[in-house]
Amino acid sequence: MSGGFFRVIASRGIIISISADLALTNSADLGSEPDCLRFFSFFVLKGTSAEQDTRFSNKQAKLMKSQKFAPELEHLVDMTKVKMDVMKPWIANRVTELLGFEDEVLINFIYGLLDTKAVNGKAVQIQLTGFMEKNTGKFMKELWSLLISAQKNASGVPQQLLDAKEEETRQKQAERDRITAEIQKKKEKENIDSDLMRQRKMDGGAETKANNTSADPRSKQIQLKGSSGAFDNEKEAEIRNGSRGRSRLGILFLGVNALALFFLLL
């Protein structure tokens, strides 16, 4: 025999699985049955499964009685009705949150426990207790609530995750609407400011023109000429009216004298 080795997979000091890889080089190795092959044959080929080992079954029965299980774990889950592509990210995130760090071995171990048709939640909790300790009950309650909901939905997705996705979409839409409203409000304010600025420029231009006109000497001369002409016109009118009055009085006086002379001649 040229060599061989055993592969042990463990998480946090707990052995999950053991596999062996033996390399035999010739028929003499097969006939001699070396020590390592006898060791492998005894522990692997001639061993008993967990179901056949009464010590394991008795220990599991004691754990079943000693542990507290959430009511959700009373129900078996048909994993053929569950969409695991949706559940796996949730399991990975929740395990990491509860432990405080990412444990890929444990996460894959949980995937393996669920990789069967009908899954017993109590049995899964017992196998996870050594890894997750005080967080096991909380994790299993949440997980089984999702799995029960998933197997009831035609889509195979838990209703809780669907509702969470819908709420996330609603919040994103509300945020987009808020940003749009703020942009629109800002544009309206800019338009108002622009109109006010344009109006101020127009008012300022008219005021400047008026100031320039009042400051121009030629405009003052025009105003003086205008006022002087009006005064002259009034004076000429008064003179004309006075001369007309005197003419009328003279004619009347001449008429009276003529009439008196006529009576004297009679």
Side-chain angles (χ1 to χ4, degrees):
M1 177 174 173
S2 61
F5 63 88
F6 288 92
R7 183 182 296 107
V8 179
I9 300 177
S11 174
R12 302 176 68 186
I14 301 175
I15 296 176
I16 294 176
S17 64
I18 300 175
S19 59
D21 185 5
L22 301 178
L24 302 179
T25 57
N26 51 52
S27 59
D29 291 334
L30 291 174
S32 61
E33 193 179 46
D35 293 340
C36 64
L37 185 59
R38 286 197 299 270
F39 177 83
F40 175 75
S41 175
F42 176 78
F43 280 95
V44 180
L45 302 179
K46 296 183 179 180
T48 58
S49 65
E51 291 78 7
Q52 295 171 336
D53 193 343
T54 57
R55 293 173 300 176
F56 178 82
S57 60
N58 292 337
K59 184 177 181 180
Q60 189 176 33
K62 290 180 180 179
L63 290 173
M64 285 280 191
K65 293 179 180 179
S66 62
Q67 286 198 24
K68 293 181 179 180
F69 300 99
E72 290 81 0
L73 272 63
E74 298 292 337
H75 306 279
L76 295 177
V77 174
D78 185 356
M79 295 302 297
T80 61
K81 299 180 179 180
V82 177
K83 195 170 183 179
M84 279 300 293
D85 291 342
V86 176
M87 290 302 306
K88 284 183 176 182
W90 182 90
I91 291 172
N93 292 333
R94 193 62 180 132
V95 169
T96 302
E97 289 175 359
L98 292 173
L99 296 181
F101 59 92
E102 184 178 3
D103 190 337
E104 294 184 1
V105 176
L106 176 58
I107 292 171
N108 289 324
F109 180 54
I110 297 173
Y111 294 162
L113 294 177
L114 300 177
D115 189 17
T116 183
K117 185 177 186 303
V119 183
N120 186 334
K122 293 182 180 180
V124 173
Q125 177 170 321
I126 290 173
Q127 296 186 66
L128 292 181
T129 300
F131 299 97
M132 303 189 69
E133 299 175 348
K134 63 180 181 179
N135 295 313
T136 308
K138 182 178 183 180
F139 172 75
M140 288 301 301
K141 178 179 175 65
E142 296 175 1
L143 174 62
W144 235 246
S145 296
L146 295 175
L147 293 179
I148 292 173
S149 176
Q151 75 174 353
K152 291 179 180 179
N153 277 349
S155 62
V157 179
Q159 189 62 40
Q160 297 93 317
L161 298 186
L162 293 175
D163 295 341
K165 185 65 177 178
E166 183 178 353
E167 178 63 19
E168 180 183 356
T169 303
R170 188 192 65 79
Q171 290 180 358
K172 288 182 178 180
Q173 183 61 42
E175 181 66 15
R176 286 194 293 266
D177 293 342
R178 184 186 65 80
I179 294 174
T180 302
E182 288 184 355
I183 294 175
Q184 183 64 27
K185 185 177 180 180
K186 185 177 180 180
K187 286 183 178 179
E188 292 176 356
K189 185 177 183 301
E190 290 176 352
N191 292 335
I192 293 173
D193 293 342
S194 178
D195 293 340
L196 289 174
M197 184 65 68
R198 186 163 48 250
Q199 185 64 34
R200 288 174 182 172
K201 288 182 179 179
M202 293 174 61
D203 295 342
E207 184 178 355
T208 302
K209 185 177 180 180
N211 293 335
N212 293 337
T213 302
S214 62
D216 190 355
R218 290 176 296 178
S219 63
K220 290 183 179 180
Q221 293 177 0
I222 293 172
Q223 291 178 356
L224 290 174
K225 288 181 180 180
S227 60
S228 176
F231 177 75
D232 293 340
N233 291 335
E234 291 179 359
K235 188 173 181 180
E236 290 177 358
E238 289 179 356
I239 293 171
R240 285 196 300 270
N241 291 335
S243 60
R244 286 177 184 176
R246 287 194 297 271
S247 298
R248 290 175 184 175
L249 290 175
I251 293 171
L252 181 60
F253 179 74
L254 291 175
V256 171
N257 291 334
L259 183 61
L261 181 60
F262 176 76
F263 281 111
L264 289 175
L265 291 176
L266 292 178

